[in-house]
Amino acid sequence: AFLLNRSSDLSFTQGRYLGVESSAAVYGSYCYFMDNNCNLVCLDLNTMQMVWVFRTADDSDLSPVVQEENGIPYIYIGTEVDNQSSGQYNGAAYTYKINGLTGEEVWQTSQSCYTYNGETSATDQSGGCVGNPIIGMGNISNLVIFSYSMTDGLTSGNRLVAYNRDTGTEVWHYDMNIYTYSSPVACYTEDGNAYIIIADNFGQIHLVNGSTGERITYIQVSSAASGVTFEAS
């Protein structure tokens, strides 16, 4: 991360005007968002000046997820596999925990995913983190859970990974045969037991034990021939 003291200091953009495809996350007067040049930006909404910028290892369209821990906001963000090579290839989807006040990296980890960079953006099909993570509560309050798409090949495989929020150490993972662009959703019983729901691009909805990563059941809501897929969260 590096500090920007003037709103006119845009040298990190490499001379380009940049788009933003993520939604913004706000904590107090700080606004966090990802731009299209791998920059996680912290903007002070009172002064409209940038506070810090953290450079991720690849592109991300995710919305930053903010969680306050011991009075400090932390940002959780993951990347696609997008800018590491050309054509069809296997690369690393990176996951970060960032101090939201300073822009300092707390931990980083990654999972292997496939992707395809075509001759035009219309033919691209990016693997990696394409759905927002879960910040656990209840009996998984120590976990953050990310979804990684295309872990077994182009348009094949998906992996849910639960990390310890303090250390970034993997606690469990759940492998799916079909890839997905949907964000996982956490549901909780009255006594705080967590269950994860995620849909895939083959018309299936999975129910997973949030503390162990074991599949409880799944529902096939359409036949393969129907072409019904889930992409929304």
Side-chain angles (χ1 to χ4, degrees):
F2 54 91
L3 295 177
L4 294 173
N5 296 319
R6 305 185 309 277
S7 60
S8 60
D9 186 353
L10 299 178
S11 59
F12 71 97
T13 65
Q14 299 178 352
R16 293 183 292 169
Y17 293 103
L18 299 178
V20 174
E21 294 182 76
S22 77
S23 297
V26 174
Y27 177 88
S29 64
Y30 282 1
C31 175
Y32 307 99
F33 60 89
M34 286 292 307
D35 70 21
N36 285 341
N37 198 34
C38 310
N39 297 303
L40 174 62
V41 178
C42 175
L43 181 70
D44 189 322
L45 295 175
N46 289 326
T47 64
M48 297 310 291
Q49 291 189 349
M50 295 182 193
V51 180
W52 53 258
V53 174
F54 179 85
R55 182 89 170 163
T56 60
D58 208 329
D59 182 37
S60 177
D61 296 337
L62 298 192
S63 302
V65 176
V66 184
Q67 176 70 16
E68 184 183 272
E69 301 168 20
N70 298 319
I72 298 174
Y74 290 96
I75 313 300
Y76 295 91
I77 195 74
T79 73
E80 301 172 346
V81 180
D82 192 16
N83 298 322
Q84 299 170 36
S85 187
S86 59
Q88 181 175 330
Y89 65 95
N90 180 258
Y94 295 92
T95 311
Y96 301 90
K97 179 179 182 178
I98 307 296
N99 186 311
L101 298 180
T102 66
E104 295 176 309
E105 179 183 299
V106 179
W107 52 255
Q108 175 198 134
T109 186
S110 66
Q111 296 285 327
S112 177
C113 299
Y114 289 81
T115 200
Y116 177 74
N117 281 341
E119 294 181 0
T120 67
S121 60
T123 59
D124 289 349
Q125 191 153 14
S126 295
C129 292
V130 290
N132 281 334
I134 292 170
I135 303 295
M137 299 186 296
N139 69 338
I140 61 167
S141 59
N142 63 319
L143 301 181
V144 56
I145 301 170
F146 280 85
S147 176
Y148 299 86
S149 184
M150 303 188 197
T151 51
D152 290 336
L154 196 64
T155 72
S156 178
N158 196 82
R159 173 171 285 191
L160 281 180
V161 183
Y163 298 105
N164 181 287
R165 289 212 318 240
D166 293 331
T167 65
T169 303
E170 181 177 317
V171 176
W172 58 254
H173 68 260
Y174 169 64
D175 287 324
M176 302 159 58
N177 291 332
I178 310 300
Y179 78 102
T180 181
Y181 292 147
S182 296
S183 302
V185 176
C187 300
Y188 300 88
T189 62
E190 290 185 356
D191 54 359
N193 291 322
Y195 297 89
I196 310 301
I197 298 172
I198 186 169
D200 66 30
N201 278 50
F202 198 66
Q204 299 178 124
I205 303 174
H206 303 246
L207 179 64
V208 179
N209 186 311
S211 60
T212 67
E214 296 176 312
R215 186 178 74 186
I216 298 171
T217 189
Y218 73 95
I219 301 171
Q220 182 77 55
V221 301
S222 65
S223 66
S226 69
V228 173
T229 66
F230 292 104
E231 293 191 359
S233 302

